[in-house]
Amino acid sequence: MYCRNCGAQIDDKAEICPKCGVRNKASPTGEKNPGIAAIASFFFTGLGQIYNGEIGKGIMFMIIGGVFLLLMFVLIGFILYPLFWIYNIYDAYRTAERINLSG
Ligand SMILES: [Zn+2]
């Protein structure tokens, strides 16, 4: 294969071109920014998961988040929702990291 930056012929398995130092290997899923994933989930439960490409999980998180939000009327949601919200941010961050490492 050839470097997409300088055009030098490089090894197929080379991630970084030895000539110009530019990264060539793109992960099949694409790079995910853990910060963006966490911020997305910060503003809306499940959004970071969808950003990470986990659509089903994201929708599930939105539903769970909505249920816990409704449970605030019976007070238990005040405990469940913040816990789930923190887990949702953590999960989005870690999943994005994992995608980058496996790519
Ligand atoms: Zn190069």
Side-chain angles (χ1 to χ4, degrees), residues 35-99:
I36 292 176
I39 289 166
S41 275
F42 176 89
F43 285 111
F44 206 103
T45 50
L47 201 60
Q49 283 71 20
I50 289 173
Y51 166 80
N52 286 334
E54 298 180 312
I55 310 296
K57 193 178 182 183
I59 291 167
M60 199 178 75
F61 270 46
M62 283 179 182
I63 292 168
I64 295 170
V67 168
F68 284 172
L69 213 57
L70 285 173
L71 283 174
M72 282 189 179
F73 288 110
V74 288
L75 298 176
I76 189 76
F78 283 106
I79 298 158
L80 293 176
Y81 186 77
L83 289 175
F84 178 69
W85 179 73
I86 289 164
Y87 171 74
N88 141 75
I89 295 169
Y90 173 79
D91 177 76
Y93 186 87
R94 288 305 304 272
T95 301
E97 268 191 343
R98 208 182 61 227
I99 288 168

Coordinates of all heavy atoms in Angstrom, one line a residue, residues 35-99:
G35 N -14.2 11.9 24.6 CA -14.7 13.2 25.2 C -16.1 13.6 24.6 O -17.0 13.9 25.3
I36 N -16.2 13.5 23.3 CA -17.4 13.8 22.6 C -18.5 12.8 23.0 O -19.7 13.2 23.3 CB -17.3 13.8 21.1 CG1 -16.4 15.0 20.7 CG2 -18.6 13.9 20.4 CD1 -16.0 15.0 19.2
A37 N -18.2 11.5 23.1 CA -19.1 10.5 23.5 C -19.7 10.8 24.9 O -20.9 10.7 25.2 CB -18.5 9.1 23.5
A38 N -18.7 11.1 25.8 CA -19.1 11.4 27.2 C -20.0 12.7 27.3 O -21.0 12.7 28.0 CB -17.9 11.6 28.1
I39 N -19.6 13.7 26.5 CA -20.4 15.0 26.6 C -21.8 14.7 26.0 O -22.8 15.2 26.5 CB -19.7 16.1 25.8 CG1 -18.4 16.5 26.6 CG2 -20.6 17.3 25.5 CD1 -17.4 17.4 25.8
A40 N -21.9 13.9 24.9 CA -23.2 13.6 24.3 C -24.1 12.9 25.3 O -25.3 13.3 25.5 CB -23.0 12.8 23.1
S41 N -23.5 12.0 26.1 CA -24.3 11.3 27.1 C -24.6 12.1 28.3 O -25.6 11.9 29.0 CB -23.5 10.0 27.5 OG -23.8 8.9 26.7
F42 N -23.7 13.1 28.5 CA -23.9 14.1 29.6 C -25.2 14.8 29.4 O -26.0 15.0 30.3 CB -22.7 15.0 29.7 CG -22.8 16.1 30.7 CD1 -22.4 15.9 32.0 CD2 -23.4 17.3 30.4 CE1 -22.5 16.9 33.0 CE2 -23.5 18.4 31.3 CZ -23.1 18.2 32.6
F43 N -25.4 15.3 28.1 CA -26.6 16.1 27.8 C -27.9 15.3 27.6 O -29.0 15.7 27.8 CB -26.3 17.0 26.6 CG -25.4 18.1 26.9 CD1 -24.1 18.2 26.4 CD2 -25.9 19.2 27.7 CE1 -23.3 19.3 26.7 CE2 -25.0 20.2 28.1 CZ -23.8 20.3 27.6
F44 N -27.7 14.0 27.1 CA -28.8 13.2 26.9 C -28.4 11.7 27.0 O -27.6 11.3 26.2 CB -29.4 13.5 25.5 CG -30.8 13.2 25.3 CD1 -31.8 14.2 25.3 CD2 -31.3 11.9 25.2 CE1 -33.1 13.9 25.2 CE2 -32.7 11.6 25.1 CZ -33.6 12.6 25.1
T45 N -29.0 11.0 27.9 CA -28.7 9.6 28.1 C -28.9 8.8 26.8 O -29.9 9.0 26.2 CB -29.5 9.0 29.3 OG1 -30.9 9.3 29.0 CG2 -29.1 9.5 30.6
G46 N -27.9 8.1 26.5 CA -28.0 7.2 25.3 C -27.4 7.9 24.0 O -27.0 7.2 23.1
L47 N -27.2 9.2 24.1 CA -26.7 9.9 22.9 C -25.2 9.5 22.6 O -24.9 9.3 21.4 CB -26.8 11.4 23.1 CG -26.8 12.3 21.8 CD1 -28.0 11.9 20.9 CD2 -26.9 13.7 22.2
G48 N -24.4 9.4 23.6 CA -23.0 9.0 23.5 C -22.9 7.6 22.9 O -22.0 7.3 22.1
Q49 N -23.8 6.7 23.3 CA -23.9 5.3 22.8 C -24.2 5.3 21.3 O -23.6 4.6 20.6 CB -24.9 4.5 23.6 CG -24.5 4.0 25.0 CD -24.4 5.2 26.0 OE1 -25.0 6.2 25.8 NE2 -23.6 5.0 27.1
I50 N -25.1 6.2 20.9 CA -25.5 6.3 19.5 C -24.3 6.8 18.7 O -24.0 6.3 17.6 CB -26.8 7.1 19.3 CG1 -28.0 6.3 19.8 CG2 -27.0 7.5 17.8 CD1 -29.3 7.1 19.9
Y51 N -23.6 7.8 19.3 CA -22.4 8.4 18.7 C -21.4 7.3 18.4 O -20.7 7.2 17.4 CB -21.8 9.5 19.5 CG -20.4 9.9 19.2 CD1 -20.2 10.7 18.1 CD2 -19.3 9.4 19.9 CE1 -18.9 11.1 17.7 CE2 -18.1 9.8 19.6 CZ -17.8 10.6 18.5 OH -16.5 11.0 18.2
N52 N -21.3 6.3 19.4 CA -20.3 5.2 19.3 C -20.8 4.1 18.3 O -20.1 3.2 18.1 CB -20.1 4.6 20.7 CG -19.3 5.5 21.6 OD1 -18.5 6.3 21.1 ND2 -19.4 5.3 22.9
G53 N -22.0 4.3 17.7 CA -22.5 3.3 16.8 C -23.3 2.3 17.4 O -23.8 1.3 16.8
E54 N -23.5 2.3 18.7 CA -24.4 1.4 19.4 C -25.8 1.9 19.5 O -26.3 2.3 20.5 CB -23.8 1.1 20.9 CG -22.4 0.6 20.9 CD -21.9 0.3 22.3 OE1 -22.0 1.2 23.1 OE2 -21.4 -0.7 22.5
I55 N -26.5 1.8 18.3 CA -27.8 2.4 18.2 C -28.8 1.8 19.2 O -29.5 2.5 19.9 CB -28.3 2.3 16.7 CG1 -27.3 2.8 15.7 CG2 -29.6 3.0 16.5 CD1 -26.9 4.2 15.8
G56 N -28.9 0.4 19.1 CA -29.8 -0.3 20.0 C -29.6 0.0 21.5 O -30.6 0.3 22.2
K57 N -28.4 0.0 21.9 CA -28.0 0.3 23.3 C -28.4 1.8 23.6 O -28.9 2.0 24.7 CB -26.5 0.1 23.5 CG -26.1 0.1 24.9 CD -24.6 -0.2 24.9 CE -24.0 -0.2 26.3 NZ -22.5 -0.4 26.2
G58 N -28.1 2.7 22.7 CA -28.5 4.1 22.9 C -29.9 4.3 23.1 O -30.4 5.0 24.0
I59 N -30.8 3.6 22.3 CA -32.2 3.8 22.4 C -32.7 3.2 23.7 O -33.5 3.8 24.4 CB -32.9 3.1 21.2 CG1 -32.7 3.9 19.9 CG2 -34.4 3.0 21.4 CD1 -33.0 3.2 18.6
M60 N -32.1 2.0 24.1 CA -32.4 1.4 25.3 C -32.1 2.3 26.5 O -32.9 2.5 27.4 CB -31.6 0.1 25.5 CG -32.2 -0.9 26.5 SD -31.2 -2.4 26.5 CE -29.7 -1.8 27.4
F61 N -30.9 3.0 26.4 CA -30.5 3.9 27.5 C -31.4 5.1 27.6 O -31.7 5.6 28.7 CB -29.1 4.4 27.2 CG -28.0 3.5 27.8 CD1 -28.1 2.2 27.7 CD2 -26.9 4.1 28.5 CE1 -27.1 1.3 28.3 CE2 -25.9 3.3 29.1 CZ -26.0 1.9 29.0
M62 N -31.9 5.6 26.4 CA -32.9 6.7 26.4 C -34.2 6.3 27.1 O -34.8 7.1 27.8 CB -33.2 7.1 25.0 CG -32.0 8.0 24.4 SD -32.4 8.4 22.7 CE -30.8 9.3 22.3
I63 N -34.6 5.1 26.8 CA -35.9 4.6 27.4 C -35.7 4.4 28.9 O -36.5 4.9 29.7 CB -36.3 3.2 26.8 CG1 -36.7 3.5 25.3 CG2 -37.5 2.6 27.5 CD1 -36.9 2.2 24.5
I64 N -34.6 3.8 29.3 CA -34.3 3.6 30.8 C -34.2 5.0 31.5 O -34.8 5.2 32.5 CB -33.1 2.8 31.0 CG1 -33.3 1.3 30.5 CG2 -32.7 2.7 32.5 CD1 -32.0 0.5 30.4
G65 N -33.5 5.9 30.8 CA -33.3 7.2 31.4 C -34.7 7.9 31.5 O -35.0 8.5 32.5
G66 N -35.6 7.7 30.5 CA -36.9 8.3 30.6 C -37.8 7.7 31.7 O -38.5 8.5 32.4
V67 N -37.7 6.4 31.9 CA -38.4 5.7 32.9 C -37.9 6.2 34.3 O -38.8 6.5 35.2 CB -38.2 4.2 32.8 CG1 -38.8 3.5 34.1 CG2 -39.0 3.7 31.6
F68 N -36.6 6.3 34.5 CA -36.1 6.8 35.8 C -36.5 8.2 36.0 O -36.7 8.6 37.2 CB -34.6 6.6 35.8 CG -34.1 5.2 36.0 CD1 -32.8 4.9 35.9 CD2 -35.0 4.2 36.3 CE1 -32.4 3.5 36.1 CE2 -34.6 2.9 36.5 CZ -33.3 2.6 36.4
L69 N -36.5 9.0 34.9 CA -36.9 10.4 35.1 C -38.4 10.5 35.6 O -38.7 11.3 36.4 CB -36.8 11.1 33.7 CG -36.4 12.6 33.7 CD1 -35.1 12.8 34.4 CD2 -36.3 13.0 32.2
L70 N -39.2 9.6 35.0 CA -40.6 9.6 35.5 C -40.7 9.1 36.9 O -41.6 9.5 37.6 CB -41.4 8.6 34.5 CG -41.8 9.2 33.2 CD1 -42.4 8.1 32.3 CD2 -42.7 10.4 33.2
L71 N -39.8 8.2 37.3 CA -39.8 7.6 38.6 C -39.5 8.7 39.7 O -39.7 8.5 40.9 CB -38.9 6.5 38.8 CG -39.3 5.1 38.2 CD1 -38.2 4.1 38.2 CD2 -40.6 4.6 38.9
M72 N -39.1 9.9 39.2 CA -38.8 11.0 40.2 C -40.1 11.4 40.9 O -40.0 11.9 42.0 CB -38.1 12.2 39.4 CG -36.7 12.0 39.2 SD -35.9 13.5 38.6 CE -34.2 12.9 38.4
F73 N -41.2 11.1 40.2 CA -42.5 11.5 40.8 C -42.7 10.6 42.1 O -43.5 11.0 43.0 CB -43.7 11.3 39.8 CG -43.7 12.3 38.8 CD1 -43.3 12.0 37.5 CD2 -44.0 13.6 39.1 CE1 -43.3 13.0 36.5 CE2 -44.0 14.6 38.1 CZ -43.7 14.3 36.8
V74 N -42.2 9.4 42.1 CA -42.3 8.6 43.3 C -41.0 8.5 44.0 O -40.7 7.6 44.7 CB -42.8 7.2 42.9 CG1 -44.3 7.2 42.5 CG2 -42.0 6.5 41.9
L75 N -40.2 9.6 43.9 CA -38.9 9.8 44.6 C -37.7 8.9 44.3 O -36.6 9.3 44.3 CB -39.2 9.9 46.1 CG -40.1 11.0 46.6 CD1 -40.3 10.9 48.0 CD2 -39.5 12.4 46.2
I76 N -38.0 7.6 44.0 CA -36.9 6.6 43.8 C -36.1 7.0 42.6 O -34.9 6.8 42.6 CB -37.5 5.2 43.7 CG1 -36.4 4.1 43.6 CG2 -38.4 5.0 42.4 CD1 -35.8 3.8 45.0
G77 N -36.7 7.7 41.7 CA -36.0 8.2 40.5 C -34.8 9.2 40.8 O -33.9 9.3 40.1
F78 N -35.0 9.9 42.0 CA -33.9 10.8 42.4 C -32.6 10.1 42.7 O -31.6 10.7 42.7 CB -34.4 11.6 43.6 CG -35.3 12.7 43.2 CD1 -36.7 12.7 43.5 CD2 -34.8 13.9 42.5 CE1 -37.5 13.7 43.1 CE2 -35.7 14.9 42.2 CZ -37.1 14.8 42.4
I79 N -32.8 8.8 43.1 CA -31.6 8.0 43.3 C -31.2 7.2 42.1 O -30.0 7.2 41.7 CB -31.9 6.9 44.5 CG1 -32.2 7.7 45.8 CG2 -30.7 6.0 44.7 CD1 -33.0 6.9 46.7
L80 N -32.1 6.6 41.4 CA -31.8 5.8 40.2 C -31.3 6.6 39.0 O -30.4 6.2 38.4 CB -33.1 5.0 39.8 CG -33.6 3.9 40.8 CD1 -34.9 3.3 40.3 CD2 -32.5 2.9 40.9
Y81 N -32.0 7.8 38.8 CA -31.6 8.5 37.6 C -30.1 9.0 37.6 O -29.4 8.8 36.7 CB -32.6 9.7 37.3 CG -32.3 10.4 36.0 CD1 -32.6 9.8 34.8 CD2 -31.6 11.6 36.0 CE1 -32.3 10.4 33.6 CE2 -31.3 12.2 34.8 CZ -31.7 11.6 33.6 OH -31.4 12.2 32.4
P82 N -29.7 9.7 38.7 CA -28.3 10.1 38.7 C -27.3 9.0 38.6 O -26.3 9.1 37.9 CB -28.2 10.8 40.1 CG -29.6 11.2 40.5 CD -30.4 10.1 39.9
L83 N -27.6 7.8 39.2 CA -26.7 6.7 39.2 C -26.6 6.2 37.7 O -25.5 5.9 37.2 CB -27.2 5.5 40.0 CG -27.0 5.7 41.6 CD1 -27.7 4.6 42.3 CD2 -25.6 5.9 42.0
F84 N -27.8 6.1 37.1 CA -27.8 5.6 35.7 C -27.2 6.6 34.8 O -26.4 6.3 33.8 CB -29.3 5.4 35.3 CG -29.4 4.9 33.8 CD1 -28.9 3.7 33.5 CD2 -29.9 5.8 32.9 CE1 -29.0 3.3 32.1 CE2 -30.0 5.4 31.5 CZ -29.5 4.1 31.2
W85 N -27.4 7.9 35.1 CA -26.8 9.0 34.2 C -25.3 9.0 34.3 O -24.6 9.1 33.3 CB -27.3 10.3 34.8 CG -26.9 11.5 34.1 CD1 -27.2 12.0 32.8 CD2 -25.9 12.5 34.6 NE1 -26.6 13.1 32.5 CE2 -25.8 13.5 33.6 CE3 -25.2 12.7 35.8 CZ2 -25.0 14.6 33.7 CZ3 -24.4 13.8 35.9 CH2 -24.3 14.7 34.9
I86 N -24.7 8.7 35.5 CA -23.3 8.7 35.6 C -22.7 7.4 34.9 O -21.8 7.5 34.1 CB -22.9 8.6 37.1 CG1 -23.1 10.0 37.7 CG2 -21.4 8.2 37.3 CD1 -23.1 10.0 39.2
Y87 N -23.4 6.3 35.0 CA -23.0 5.1 34.4 C -23.1 5.3 32.8 O -22.2 4.8 32.1 CB -23.9 3.9 34.8 CG -23.7 2.7 33.9 CD1 -22.6 1.9 34.1 CD2 -24.5 2.3 32.9 CE1 -22.3 0.8 33.3 CE2 -24.3 1.2 32.1 CZ -23.2 0.5 32.3 OH -22.9 -0.6 31.5
N88 N -24.1 6.0 32.4 CA -24.3 6.2 30.9 C -23.1 7.0 30.4 O -22.6 6.7 29.3 CB -25.7 6.9 30.8 CG -25.7 8.0 29.8 OD1 -25.7 7.7 28.6 ND2 -25.8 9.2 30.3
I89 N -22.6 8.0 31.1 CA -21.5 8.8 30.7 C -20.2 8.0 30.7 O -19.5 8.0 29.7 CB -21.3 10.1 31.6 CG1 -22.5 11.0 31.4 CG2 -20.0 10.8 31.2 CD1 -22.6 12.1 32.5
Y90 N -20.0 7.2 31.7 CA -18.9 6.4 31.9 C -18.8 5.3 30.7 O -17.8 5.1 30.1 CB -18.9 5.7 33.2 CG -17.9 4.6 33.5 CD1 -16.6 5.0 33.8 CD2 -18.2 3.3 33.4 CE1 -15.6 4.0 34.0 CE2 -17.2 2.3 33.6 CZ -15.9 2.6 33.9 OH -15.0 1.7 34.0
D91 N -20.0 4.7 30.5 CA -20.1 3.7 29.4 C -19.8 4.3 28.1 O -19.0 3.7 27.3 CB -21.5 3.1 29.4 CG -21.7 2.1 28.3 OD1 -21.2 1.0 28.5 OD2 -22.3 2.4 27.3
A92 N -20.3 5.5 27.8 CA -20.0 6.1 26.5 C -18.5 6.4 26.3 O -17.9 6.1 25.3 CB -20.8 7.4 26.4
Y93 N -17.9 6.9 27.4 CA -16.5 7.2 27.4 C -15.6 5.9 27.1 O -14.8 5.9 26.3 CB -16.1 7.9 28.7 CG -14.6 8.4 28.7 CD1 -14.3 9.6 28.2 CD2 -13.6 7.6 29.2 CE1 -13.0 10.1 28.2 CE2 -12.3 8.0 29.2 CZ -12.0 9.3 28.7 OH -10.7 9.7 28.7
R94 N -15.9 4.9 27.9 CA -15.1 3.6 27.8 C -15.3 2.9 26.5 O -14.4 2.4 26.0 CB -15.5 2.7 29.0 CG -15.0 3.2 30.4 CD -13.5 3.4 30.4 NE -12.8 2.2 29.9 CZ -12.4 1.2 30.8 NH1 -12.6 1.3 32.0 NH2 -11.7 0.2 30.3
T95 N -16.6 3.0 26.0 CA -16.8 2.3 24.7 C -16.1 3.0 23.6 O -15.5 2.3 22.7 CB -18.3 2.3 24.4 OG1 -19.0 1.7 25.5 CG2 -18.6 1.6 23.1
A96 N -16.0 4.3 23.6 CA -15.3 5.1 22.6 C -13.8 4.7 22.7 O -13.1 4.5 21.6 CB -15.5 6.6 22.7
E97 N -13.3 4.6 23.9 CA -11.9 4.2 24.1 C -11.6 2.8 23.5 O -10.6 2.6 22.9 CB -11.5 4.2 25.6 CG -11.0 5.5 26.1 CD -10.4 5.4 27.5 OE1 -10.8 4.5 28.2 OE2 -9.7 6.3 27.9
R98 N -12.5 1.9 23.8 CA -12.4 0.5 23.4 C -12.4 0.4 21.9 O -11.6 -0.3 21.3 CB -13.5 -0.3 24.0 CG -13.2 -1.8 24.2 CD -14.3 -2.6 24.7 NE -15.5 -2.5 23.8 CZ -16.7 -2.3 24.1 NH1 -17.0 -2.0 25.4 NH2 -17.7 -2.2 23.2
I99 N -13.3 1.2 21.2 CA -13.4 1.2 19.7 C -12.0 1.7 19.2 O -11.5 1.1 18.2 CB -14.5 2.1 19.3 CG1 -15.9 1.5 19.6 CG2 -14.4 2.4 17.8 CD1 -17.1 2.4 19.4

